[in-house]
């Protein structure tokens, strides 16, 4: 059975160590359930008027959650280290994706303003990576166990990096436009679905 929560829901993430803990981003808040979605508690980031539509849980430190906003009132990446009780604003910018590494602690990738950024210290500092050719990046996905990243651009379709974003190649066989998202096979990183 599905329960209507009465809020515009955008991003959803599940704690990888406890699948009964869910987070979802909504207008003005990040909401958390600790009982598999039966009850929800509303947590407010620093500017609780924004729309938090990207949510990612750190698999190494599951109390650490990254949320992203592209709302015009306050954009950027926010982080909580206490499971949603408090949030800090890490950086500004219109965020369309956040991926937390499953193989390297403190490594996080984000798409901010159409560019790919990476942090290796949990969000305290960020580096702009080489983006695929062909326009603004709209989606980013990371394989669970390898340095494989997939990116979708607005103009040139899907791209793959086998070296954690240092270089990119176009992915053949997929449409060049109108790709909304990519899912990577959990075991075979070179298999993706668009």
């Amino acid at each position: 059975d599905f329960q209507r929560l009465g809020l515009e829901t955008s991003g959803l993430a599940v704690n990888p160590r406890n699948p009964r803990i869910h987070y979802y981003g909504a207008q003005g808040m990040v909401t958390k359930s600790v009982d598999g979605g039966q009850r929800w508690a509303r947590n407010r980031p620093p500017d609780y008027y924004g729309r938090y539509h990207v949510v990612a849980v750190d698999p190494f430190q599951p109390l650490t959650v990254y949320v992203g906003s592209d709302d015009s009132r306050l954009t950027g990446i926010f982080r909580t280290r206490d499971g949603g009780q408090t949030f800090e604003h890490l950086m500004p910018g219109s965020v369309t994706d956040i991926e937390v590494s499953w193989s390297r602690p403190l490594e996080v990738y984000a798409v901010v303003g159409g560019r790919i950024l990476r942090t290796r210290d949990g969000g305290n500092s960020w580096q702009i990576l080489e983006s695929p050719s062909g326009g603004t990046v709209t989606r980013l996905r990371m394989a669970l166990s390898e340095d494989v990243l997939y990116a979708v651009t607005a103009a040139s379709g899907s791209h793959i990096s086998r070296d954690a974003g240092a270089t990119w190649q176009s992915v053949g066989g997929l449409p060049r436009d109108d790709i909304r998202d990519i899912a990577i096979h959990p075991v075979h990183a070179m298999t993706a679905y668009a």
Side-chain angles (χ1 to χ4, degrees), residues 66 79 81 105-108 118-126:
Y66 299 88
R79 175 182 64 197
R81 291 177 169 171
L106 304 178
E107 187 168 285
V108 182
R118 178 179 64 206
T119 178
R120 288 186 163 154
D121 59 12
N124 296 319
S125 62
W126 295 83

Side-chain angles (χ1 to χ4, degrees), residues 38-166:
Q38 297 300 310
R39 292 180 299 276
W40 295 87
R42 299 175 181 192
N43 302 301
R44 297 193 185 279
D47 172 31
Y48 55 86
Y49 297 106
R51 181 174 66 100
Y52 304 98
H53 66 281
V54 180
V55 184
V57 180
D58 187 327
F60 295 98
Q61 301 173 19
L63 290 178
T64 299
V65 181
Y66 299 88
V67 296
S69 173
D70 66 352
D71 193 287
S72 61
R73 288 168 281 204
L74 181 62
T75 62
I77 299 174
F78 298 81
R79 175 182 64 197
T80 177
R81 291 177 169 171
D82 54 17
Q85 296 302 307
T86 60
F87 287 86
E88 55 189 315
H89 189 205
L90 298 179
M91 67 175 306
S94 179
V95 181
T96 57
D97 238 328
I98 300 173
E99 287 283 294
V100 183
S101 173
W102 285 75
S103 56
R104 292 189 186 93
L106 304 178
E107 187 168 285
V108 182
Y109 293 80
V111 178
V112 181
R115 299 181 300 176
I116 300 172
L117 282 72
R118 178 179 64 206
T119 178
R120 288 186 163 154
D121 59 12
N124 296 319
S125 62
W126 295 83
Q127 170 192 7
I128 298 173
L129 298 182
E130 185 72 28
S131 290
S133 61
T136 302
V137 176
T138 57
R139 285 283 177 242
L140 182 71
R141 294 292 174 254
M142 184 174 203
L144 295 182
S145 60
E146 301 180 34
D147 287 336
V148 175
L149 295 168
Y150 288 85
V152 176
T153 64
S156 63
S158 301
H159 302 264
I160 186 171
S161 173
R162 296 174 179 88
D163 51 16

